[in-house]
Amino acid sequence: MSDQDPGIWSGIDDLWTWLDSHRPSDSQLPDGRQSLLLRVLKLSEEVGEVAEAVIGAMNRNPRKGNSHTWEDVESELCDVVITALIALRTLTPDAREVFAGHLERVRERSLGPR
């Protein structure tokens, strides 16, 4: 599946490498699973930030008012995608291929074969 933007995966690999080199030891869970668990949990945090930004952009929090813009929502959605891809890369070194295969299956299921 060579039609994926290599810059995205290069950036994900760079961020994954940086995070991996700056992580504390995984003494609480065996086999380094703590990093994976925390990266998956980070998704919930990022999705919450999307929700907060949407509520703020729609001026639906009477306590905070119009606290966000739609550009903030875009930024938070990008953070969700980046965090998910880093979690996938933490789970498997074949993240690019796993994602491409899954995307193709979802595309075919929704749109039919090419």
Side-chain angles (χ1 to χ4, degrees):
M1 312 252 163
S2 60
D3 57 345
Q4 291 187 31
D5 182 352
I8 290 172
W9 289 104
S10 174
I12 294 302
D13 283 339
D14 289 347
L15 290 168
W16 176 81
T17 299
W18 181 82
L19 283 168
D20 212 45
S21 69
H22 287 83
R23 69 180 165 93
S25 66
D26 288 349
S27 59
Q28 294 175 350
L29 292 175
D31 304 325
R33 293 182 302 160
Q34 184 175 344
S35 290
L36 175 59
L37 176 62
L38 291 173
R39 288 177 187 172
V40 170
L41 289 174
K42 180 77 172 154
L43 278 168
S44 294
E45 178 185 355
E46 295 297 342
V47 169
E49 291 175 8
V50 171
E52 181 182 9
V54 169
I55 290 167
M58 295 181 69
N59 197 19
R60 297 296 183 189
N61 185 335
R63 192 172 45 84
K64 293 184 180 179
N66 193 312
S67 60
H68 291 76
T69 65
W70 288 105
E71 289 79 19
D72 294 327
V73 176
E74 292 171 0
S75 178
E76 296 299 344
L77 285 169
C78 289
D79 287 348
V80 169
V81 172
I82 291 166
T83 302
L85 292 177
I86 289 172
L88 181 61
R89 175 60 184 86
T90 302
L91 183 61
T92 176
D94 300 323
R96 181 187 299 218
E97 293 78 18
V98 169
F99 182 77
H102 187 78
L103 180 60
E104 184 61 22
R105 287 188 298 278
V106 171
R107 193 197 68 71
E108 284 185 12
R109 184 176 62 226
S110 299
L111 304 175
R114 288 186 194 223

